[in-house]
Amino acid sequence: MMAVASIRSVFAGRTFAQIGLVWLAFVALAAIFSPLIAPFDPYEIDPIARLTEPGWPHLFGTDHFGRDSFSRALYGARMTVLIGLGAVIVALLTGGLVGMLSAYFTRLGHVLMRGVDVLMAFPALLMALVLMTLLERSVMNTIIVIGVVYATTTARILFGMTLKLKGEVFVDAAVCSGAGHASILFRHILPNLVSPLLVQASFIFAFAQLQAAALDFLGLGLPPEVPSWGNMLSEERIYVTRAPWLLIFPGALIILSVFSMNLVGDAMRDSIDPRFKDDIAGV
Amino acid sequence: MSAQPLLDVRDLKVHFRTRGRTVRAVDGVSFDIAPGEVLGLVGESGCGKSTVGRALTQLERATAGQALFEGQDILSMSRRQFLPLRRHIQMIFQDPYASLNPRLTVAQTLSEPLFIHKIARSRKDAQARIAETLDLVGLGPEAMTRYPHEFSGGQRQRIGIARVMILEPKLVIADEAVSALDVSIQAQVLNLIKKLQRDSGMAMLFISHDLGVVRHISDRVAVMSAGKIVETGDKSAIFEAPQDAYTRRLLDSIPRIMPLKETS
Amino acid sequence: MALLDVENLEISIRFGHELLPVVRGVSFSVDENETLGIVGESGCGKSLTALAIMGLLEGSGVRVTGGRMRFGGRDLLAMSADERRHIMGNDMAMIFQEPMTSLNPVYRVGDQIIEALQQHRNLSRRAARRRAIELLDLVRIPEPDSRVDSFPHQLSGGQRQRVMIAMALSCDPKLLIADEPTTALDVTVQKEVLDLMLDLQKRTGTAIILISHDLGVIAETCNSVAVMYWGRLVETAPTDALFETLAHPYTRGLLHSIPAIDRDVDWLDAIPGRVPTIGEQIAGCPFHPRCPRAESRCRHEVPQPREIAPGHLVECHFPYGGDR
Amino acid sequence: MLFYTIKRLLALIPTLLAATMLVFLFVHLIPGDPASILLGDTATPEEVAALTRELGLDEPLWTQYLIWLGNVLQGDLGTSVFFGTPVLTVIADGAETSILLATMTMVWIVLFGVPIGIVSAMNKGRWIDQITSGGAMLFASIPTFWLGLYLILLFAVGLGWLPSSGFPSLTDTGGVTNLRYLILPSLTLAAPNAALIIRLVRASMLDVSREDHVRTARAKGLRPSRVAIRHIFRNALISVTAAFGFTFAALVSEAVVTETVFSLPGIGRLVVQSILRRDYPVIQGVILVIVVLYMFINLLVDLAYARLDPRISLK
């Protein structure tokens, strides 16, 4: 009940963020139910129906293999959610943990955060590219690579936020009550980080989409046959003059989803503890 | 002064190293507190009075010196060794808004020390003790399920005091415990602290910058300046016949209201 | 006519689509050489009143919704923004509570004083700098010649507040509004800063409005006092008269709440209940839930100001010293 | 200030060394024999043996690193498998394009980002702010390559105003007018970054405008525009400057994509092509150059930051 009320208050009066939320709900539904909704098999090649214009039965037209773009787009929603959530989880589990522990255990933190500094010297996409050269192109590897790339930023952010909370009087009070390290970290500090983490997660989700699309475009992301919005753009870009719809639809889908996620993150950011606002890396 | 002080602090030093500079926050402070006695520690901002309190609760590591609590040196103890003693040495903090975890209900906050120190055997037992303690500080049992943001500053400070009293400590360190409160609320909380101290017979180190408040609550007073205690004595001696020049200047600086004629 | 005349001032805060009055029916006046103290607890509206007089409410969702303010005979509320700005920092100046944050950290203190000077006086930069050094000397900053080039973080809290005073005095204001000017300072520094302000007032005749939560500071500094509670002036009187009669139960309760420095009192005579928050609704007299003298009339009827002695106004149905 | 600069420079050394170690290890993480990897598939066993000896590849990893670092410090980044020329020359060939592209992009970012951000902040909540800050967020949500493709479609293919791809050097025929080849790429690259700067300038200015000293400035009777520029923007500039380091990192990332879209002969496209060609010495060299450059840019940002904020440099 309380959660519902707070979601209402966060998005009250923010028409665009509300629309964004609705759109993201659509994407999520499409991701879950794509096998049921998709009118065609996204992998099915039809050499006769190559590059057909949008219409019936191919709502978004077909690509140069004659695959149904609408069905591929629906399955693409799946990749979007998978990569977004996957990257968030990887980033939070690795970077988040490193950042939090580093801030709490100062000595360990000194060493770990220097390591993070070193990794931060590698620009995000460059790091992703390098890692992808070492790994095979697969969905799992793409998720891991993007997650790892954002792990450094996440570590930095959580380091800063945990440090602030560690200096809080209620943490001192818990120490005086005799609370141990685990209790302070997970009972007193972590619950206070949940809302800023949600905000950060929404921005990582959005960034991850753009990174994944860029990797797909460079031919270093998901395997080319996998239906993702980035691959749809990348595979069909040479047909842009002959069949512009092939780029309009997946492009619009990416932009809408990233924009929605950013709007949602922005709305949530305004509702969190103002002390954490500067720590968040977002749009 | 009784033969065996409850707390005997000898030559306490707390130095901080920042950017190659050493800040001598506390630089050789000695005092003692008898059981049931209230010692006021007064001084201006940055004189190190809060650091003394933080060192005695191990929130800050002492650089040198001893603090004998019932004969045992608490400064040299490890975190683990000190744990059982925390029950007897408790702290009330200044900021009632920051000293309660916003994500925990009052009952959760108050039950934490009970379970850590194994005072409550069951949830039911804990509930009963919490209700009792809340009553002691002037709050009803309905406060238990509520979160800190639902209370006013004065009420939050009462919750902070309840967290301390629930352990029935022998020594309470009150660090600017009423400084953040409005005057009318400050009076209520001061009365409460004084009553609880008298009823329970606990000793107290009352740290404050406010001389009036210190006079009101203390038996003896120590005046601190630049990391050192410049004068210690019974409160009447300190306030009526200060010996040290700094104490005199401090007392002279306080704005006074002319003695009022009682009209009613 | 007084230098500043505030009549029936009402200030409201926007809550959603509604305007909620938070300061109501506030009237007082200040003249040259006078110091008026406004005292009250947090959220009573004393700072809002100060900002309203100064004209600094704009843009914060808070605005003046009623009453009149006349400064030097001119209606402040009828002025255009440009006219208001011409008075701000010139005829009327203000110093704030937090000396640590009230100066811009990236500019030298001298430049910040010079900026104030050049805004209202046609001075060359060199002349302005000379004047800035004079001002720093006036507020007793040691070595003003070199301190003029210091950054705010290189000064102590007390020194920063002196710089604020120098800046406020730079254009010889007729009225100085000081909002909790010493609250963030230690008592020894507080005394120096207050002495400085009164000393300067003696020389220039500047009227001062001193806002504080500290009755002691008010008692030692002001000619007259206005006690504020929940957005209303509950008692206004010359300082001596106020502390002699303590007519309003709140004024009396406030004084009794302060632990005395020169007497031992066993228990404080505290006001029960809590300080009402600014958006709260209270019917009748705003103080009645906490008042020892409250009767049924207090719960229903808002007391109107009445004069119990010349210049001594009380908003109470049953004031002390009054006929019951 | 000089002392501060030296301090920062010294603090850079350990990070720099650690980063070079990672770059060095990169080749060793690739499955297979490092010498064969560095020489490509066509190498003869003799060549492999020679390189193994030269780089000390049969020695412990630590020694290998020192040998490699020694070579790097002498400007020897190895030889490109694909081109057969020194890696440094290959990188230098791409440098002109990339530097010009980066400079032009930076000009756009500052030119659009800062003023629009100021206007947005000064009109907080009004329609002009909603359009600019909402628009900025939209631009930050567009994939770079998609924007590039459509700019090509519109301005090159459709209107024919600007060239769609490639970049002849400024020393070729056309001279400075060849810069027109970089207009579309630099705009593409600038769009998301300018959008971020707009958002940042706006957010920082709104933060600063709530600070006490701004109220002091207003109490002096200063005009709102003067308060906005001299007090709010000037202080907001401190955090905006700090963000320029991140902007560089973002630029590098997006330049990889942009140069590919517009087929520019720059370092970004070189990375992608080298990855596809498995030209590991070039990949390693480019990463090293970019990481070192990035660190120095961060140093410059730090110094600029210290200059803007007297609380830092004078401590």
Side-chain angles (χ1 to χ4, degrees), chain A residues 243-262:
Chain A
W245 62 86
L246 284 176
L247 273 74
I248 294 272
F249 288 120
L253 289 174
I254 294 181
I255 294 170
L256 263 176
S257 305
V258 175
F259 190 37
S260 298
M261 211 67 211
N262 281 335

PDB file of all heavy atoms in Angstrom, chain A residues 243-262:
ATOM      1  N   ALA A 243      14.249   1.252 -48.254  1.00  0.00           N
ATOM      2  CA  ALA A 243      13.190   0.859 -47.328  1.00  0.00           C
ATOM      3  C   ALA A 243      13.363   1.590 -45.995  1.00  0.00           C
ATOM      4  O   ALA A 243      13.730   0.987 -44.988  1.00  0.00           O
ATOM      5  CB  ALA A 243      13.218  -0.660 -47.109  1.00  0.00           C
ATOM      6  N   PRO A 244      13.113   2.894 -45.981  1.00  0.00           N
ATOM      7  CA  PRO A 244      13.409   3.696 -44.773  1.00  0.00           C
ATOM      8  C   PRO A 244      12.650   3.201 -43.537  1.00  0.00           C
ATOM      9  O   PRO A 244      13.132   3.374 -42.434  1.00  0.00           O
ATOM     10  CB  PRO A 244      12.972   5.117 -45.165  1.00  0.00           C
ATOM     11  CG  PRO A 244      12.207   4.993 -46.429  1.00  0.00           C
ATOM     12  CD  PRO A 244      12.598   3.717 -47.080  1.00  0.00           C
ATOM     13  N   TRP A 245      11.467   2.566 -43.720  1.00  0.00           N
ATOM     14  CA  TRP A 245      10.705   2.100 -42.552  1.00  0.00           C
ATOM     15  C   TRP A 245      11.472   1.090 -41.716  1.00  0.00           C
ATOM     16  O   TRP A 245      11.257   0.939 -40.530  1.00  0.00           O
ATOM     17  CB  TRP A 245       9.355   1.516 -42.993  1.00  0.00           C
ATOM     18  CG  TRP A 245       9.502   0.303 -43.899  1.00  0.00           C
ATOM     19  CD1 TRP A 245       9.647  -0.990 -43.504  1.00  0.00           C
ATOM     20  CD2 TRP A 245       9.531   0.296 -45.315  1.00  0.00           C
ATOM     21  NE1 TRP A 245       9.767  -1.811 -44.598  1.00  0.00           N
ATOM     22  CE2 TRP A 245       9.699  -1.040 -45.734  1.00  0.00           C
ATOM     23  CE3 TRP A 245       9.426   1.305 -46.298  1.00  0.00           C
ATOM     24  CZ2 TRP A 245       9.777  -1.407 -47.072  1.00  0.00           C
ATOM     25  CZ3 TRP A 245       9.493   0.930 -47.625  1.00  0.00           C
ATOM     26  CH2 TRP A 245       9.676  -0.421 -48.004  1.00  0.00           C
ATOM     27  N   LEU A 246      12.404   0.382 -42.381  1.00  0.00           N
ATOM     28  CA  LEU A 246      13.164  -0.624 -41.657  1.00  0.00           C
ATOM     29  C   LEU A 246      14.010  -0.014 -40.547  1.00  0.00           C
ATOM     30  O   LEU A 246      14.374  -0.673 -39.594  1.00  0.00           O
ATOM     31  CB  LEU A 246      14.064  -1.403 -42.625  1.00  0.00           C
ATOM     32  CG  LEU A 246      13.329  -2.436 -43.478  1.00  0.00           C
ATOM     33  CD1 LEU A 246      14.280  -3.080 -44.456  1.00  0.00           C
ATOM     34  CD2 LEU A 246      12.665  -3.481 -42.594  1.00  0.00           C
ATOM     35  N   LEU A 247      14.358   1.261 -40.714  1.00  0.00           N
ATOM     36  CA  LEU A 247      15.133   1.933 -39.674  1.00  0.00           C
ATOM     37  C   LEU A 247      14.267   2.795 -38.777  1.00  0.00           C
ATOM     38  O   LEU A 247      14.612   3.031 -37.626  1.00  0.00           O
ATOM     39  CB  LEU A 247      16.256   2.786 -40.295  1.00  0.00           C
ATOM     40  CG  LEU A 247      17.549   2.002 -40.539  1.00  0.00           C
ATOM     41  CD1 LEU A 247      17.412   1.083 -41.717  1.00  0.00           C
ATOM     42  CD2 LEU A 247      18.716   2.928 -40.661  1.00  0.00           C
ATOM     43  N   ILE A 248      13.161   3.273 -39.354  1.00  0.00           N
ATOM     44  CA  ILE A 248      12.289   4.150 -38.552  1.00  0.00           C
ATOM     45  C   ILE A 248      11.726   3.392 -37.350  1.00  0.00           C
ATOM     46  O   ILE A 248      11.833   3.848 -36.219  1.00  0.00           O
ATOM     47  CB  ILE A 248      11.109   4.675 -39.405  1.00  0.00           C
ATOM     48  CG1 ILE A 248      11.622   5.589 -40.507  1.00  0.00           C
ATOM     49  CG2 ILE A 248      10.078   5.367 -38.520  1.00  0.00           C
ATOM     50  CD1 ILE A 248      11.768   7.026 -40.149  1.00  0.00           C
ATOM     51  N   PHE A 249      11.155   2.195 -37.598  1.00  0.00           N
ATOM     52  CA  PHE A 249      10.481   1.500 -36.495  1.00  0.00           C
ATOM     53  C   PHE A 249      11.418   1.102 -35.361  1.00  0.00           C
ATOM     54  O   PHE A 249      11.209   1.512 -34.220  1.00  0.00           O
ATOM     55  CB  PHE A 249       9.679   0.296 -37.020  1.00  0.00           C
ATOM     56  CG  PHE A 249       8.450   0.710 -37.785  1.00  0.00           C
ATOM     57  CD1 PHE A 249       8.268   0.353 -39.119  1.00  0.00           C
ATOM     58  CD2 PHE A 249       7.470   1.485 -37.169  1.00  0.00           C
ATOM     59  CE1 PHE A 249       7.138   0.754 -39.816  1.00  0.00           C
ATOM     60  CE2 PHE A 249       6.342   1.885 -37.864  1.00  0.00           C
ATOM     61  CZ  PHE A 249       6.171   1.522 -39.201  1.00  0.00           C
ATOM     62  N   PRO A 250      12.476   0.330 -35.660  1.00  0.00           N
ATOM     63  CA  PRO A 250      13.338  -0.039 -34.516  1.00  0.00           C
ATOM     64  C   PRO A 250      13.992   1.179 -33.871  1.00  0.00           C
ATOM     65  O   PRO A 250      14.149   1.225 -32.655  1.00  0.00           O
ATOM     66  CB  PRO A 250      14.381  -0.972 -35.124  1.00  0.00           C
ATOM     67  CG  PRO A 250      14.259  -0.825 -36.593  1.00  0.00           C
ATOM     68  CD  PRO A 250      12.893  -0.322 -36.898  1.00  0.00           C
ATOM     69  N   GLY A 251      14.345   2.184 -34.689  1.00  0.00           N
ATOM     70  CA  GLY A 251      14.956   3.408 -34.139  1.00  0.00           C
ATOM     71  C   GLY A 251      14.000   4.068 -33.168  1.00  0.00           C
ATOM     72  O   GLY A 251      14.367   4.416 -32.042  1.00  0.00           O
ATOM     73  N   ALA A 252      12.747   4.219 -33.615  1.00  0.00           N
ATOM     74  CA  ALA A 252      11.754   4.862 -32.758  1.00  0.00           C
ATOM     75  C   ALA A 252      11.547   4.058 -31.479  1.00  0.00           C
ATOM     76  O   ALA A 252      11.380   4.629 -30.405  1.00  0.00           O
ATOM     77  CB  ALA A 252      10.429   5.005 -33.509  1.00  0.00           C
ATOM     78  N   LEU A 253      11.566   2.730 -31.608  1.00  0.00           N
ATOM     79  CA  LEU A 253      11.374   1.898 -30.416  1.00  0.00           C
ATOM     80  C   LEU A 253      12.496   2.119 -29.404  1.00  0.00           C
ATOM     81  O   LEU A 253      12.253   2.263 -28.210  1.00  0.00           O
ATOM     82  CB  LEU A 253      11.315   0.416 -30.815  1.00  0.00           C
ATOM     83  CG  LEU A 253      10.044  -0.016 -31.559  1.00  0.00           C
ATOM     84  CD1 LEU A 253      10.166  -1.459 -32.034  1.00  0.00           C
ATOM     85  CD2 LEU A 253       8.827   0.161 -30.666  1.00  0.00           C
ATOM     86  N   ILE A 254      13.734   2.149 -29.904  1.00  0.00           N
ATOM     87  CA  ILE A 254      14.859   2.377 -28.988  1.00  0.00           C
ATOM     88  C   ILE A 254      14.720   3.743 -28.324  1.00  0.00           C
ATOM     89  O   ILE A 254      14.793   3.880 -27.107  1.00  0.00           O
ATOM     90  CB  ILE A 254      16.209   2.309 -29.744  1.00  0.00           C
ATOM     91  CG1 ILE A 254      16.450   0.886 -30.255  1.00  0.00           C
ATOM     92  CG2 ILE A 254      17.347   2.747 -28.830  1.00  0.00           C
ATOM     93  CD1 ILE A 254      17.757   0.729 -30.992  1.00  0.00           C
ATOM     94  N   ILE A 255      14.489   4.775 -29.165  1.00  0.00           N
ATOM     95  CA  ILE A 255      14.426   6.134 -28.627  1.00  0.00           C
ATOM     96  C   ILE A 255      13.312   6.247 -27.594  1.00  0.00           C
ATOM     97  O   ILE A 255      13.512   6.758 -26.491  1.00  0.00           O
ATOM     98  CB  ILE A 255      14.219   7.155 -29.765  1.00  0.00           C
ATOM     99  CG1 ILE A 255      15.453   7.156 -30.664  1.00  0.00           C
ATOM    100  CG2 ILE A 255      13.978   8.548 -29.202  1.00  0.00           C
ATOM    101  CD1 ILE A 255      15.268   7.931 -31.944  1.00  0.00           C
ATOM    102  N   LEU A 256      12.152   5.722 -27.937  1.00  0.00           N
ATOM    103  CA  LEU A 256      11.024   5.802 -27.004  1.00  0.00           C
ATOM    104  C   LEU A 256      11.339   5.117 -25.678  1.00  0.00           C
ATOM    105  O   LEU A 256      11.044   5.643 -24.610  1.00  0.00           O
ATOM    106  CB  LEU A 256       9.796   5.130 -27.626  1.00  0.00           C
ATOM    107  CG  LEU A 256       8.799   6.057 -28.309  1.00  0.00           C
ATOM    108  CD1 LEU A 256       7.691   5.243 -28.957  1.00  0.00           C
ATOM    109  CD2 LEU A 256       8.215   7.028 -27.288  1.00  0.00           C
ATOM    110  N   SER A 257      11.941   3.947 -25.768  1.00  0.00           N
ATOM    111  CA  SER A 257      12.195   3.194 -24.537  1.00  0.00           C
ATOM    112  C   SER A 257      13.261   3.878 -23.688  1.00  0.00           C
ATOM    113  O   SER A 257      13.106   4.000 -22.466  1.00  0.00           O
ATOM    114  CB  SER A 257      12.638   1.772 -24.875  1.00  0.00           C
ATOM    115  OG  SER A 257      11.665   1.185 -25.708  1.00  0.00           O
ATOM    116  N   VAL A 258      14.348   4.317 -24.333  1.00  0.00           N
ATOM    117  CA  VAL A 258      15.408   4.981 -23.573  1.00  0.00           C
ATOM    118  C   VAL A 258      14.880   6.289 -22.982  1.00  0.00           C
ATOM    119  O   VAL A 258      15.090   6.590 -21.803  1.00  0.00           O
ATOM    120  CB  VAL A 258      16.632   5.251 -24.479  1.00  0.00           C
ATOM    121  CG1 VAL A 258      17.686   6.044 -23.731  1.00  0.00           C
ATOM    122  CG2 VAL A 258      17.216   3.936 -24.960  1.00  0.00           C
ATOM    123  N   PHE A 259      14.152   7.034 -23.795  1.00  0.00           N
ATOM    124  CA  PHE A 259      13.583   8.298 -23.346  1.00  0.00           C
ATOM    125  C   PHE A 259      12.645   8.069 -22.163  1.00  0.00           C
ATOM    126  O   PHE A 259      12.715   8.760 -21.147  1.00  0.00           O
ATOM    127  CB  PHE A 259      12.831   8.943 -24.521  1.00  0.00           C
ATOM    128  CG  PHE A 259      12.381  10.352 -24.279  1.00  0.00           C
ATOM    129  CD1 PHE A 259      13.157  11.249 -23.559  1.00  0.00           C
ATOM    130  CD2 PHE A 259      11.170  10.809 -24.794  1.00  0.00           C
ATOM    131  CE1 PHE A 259      12.743  12.561 -23.354  1.00  0.00           C
ATOM    132  CE2 PHE A 259      10.745  12.108 -24.599  1.00  0.00           C
ATOM    133  CZ  PHE A 259      11.537  12.994 -23.872  1.00  0.00           C
ATOM    134  N   SER A 260      11.801   7.050 -22.273  1.00  0.00           N
ATOM    135  CA  SER A 260      10.867   6.742 -21.186  1.00  0.00           C
ATOM    136  C   SER A 260      11.617   6.419 -19.903  1.00  0.00           C
ATOM    137  O   SER A 260      11.283   6.908 -18.830  1.00  0.00           O
ATOM    138  CB  SER A 260       9.991   5.548 -21.550  1.00  0.00           C
ATOM    139  OG  SER A 260       9.218   5.858 -22.680  1.00  0.00           O
ATOM    140  N   MET A 261      12.632   5.591 -20.056  1.00  0.00           N
ATOM    141  CA  MET A 261      13.388   5.192 -18.865  1.00  0.00           C
ATOM    142  C   MET A 261      14.060   6.410 -18.240  1.00  0.00           C
ATOM    143  O   MET A 261      14.089   6.550 -17.013  1.00  0.00           O
ATOM    144  CB  MET A 261      14.441   4.159 -19.291  1.00  0.00           C
ATOM    145  CG  MET A 261      14.770   3.160 -18.241  1.00  0.00           C
ATOM    146  SD  MET A 261      13.392   2.058 -17.873  1.00  0.00           S
ATOM    147  CE  MET A 261      13.710   1.744 -16.166  1.00  0.00           C
ATOM    148  N   ASN A 262      14.595   7.285 -19.075  1.00  0.00           N
ATOM    149  CA  ASN A 262      15.217   8.508 -18.558  1.00  0.00           C
ATOM    150  C   ASN A 262      14.195   9.395 -17.850  1.00  0.00           C
ATOM    151  O   ASN A 262      14.485   9.971 -16.795  1.00  0.00           O
ATOM    152  CB  ASN A 262      15.884   9.291 -19.688  1.00  0.00           C
ATOM    153  CG  ASN A 262      17.237   8.713 -20.064  1.00  0.00           C
ATOM    154  OD1 ASN A 262      17.890   8.066 -19.251  1.00  0.00           O
ATOM    155  ND2 ASN A 262      17.649   8.932 -21.305  1.00  0.00           N
TER     156      ASN A 262
END
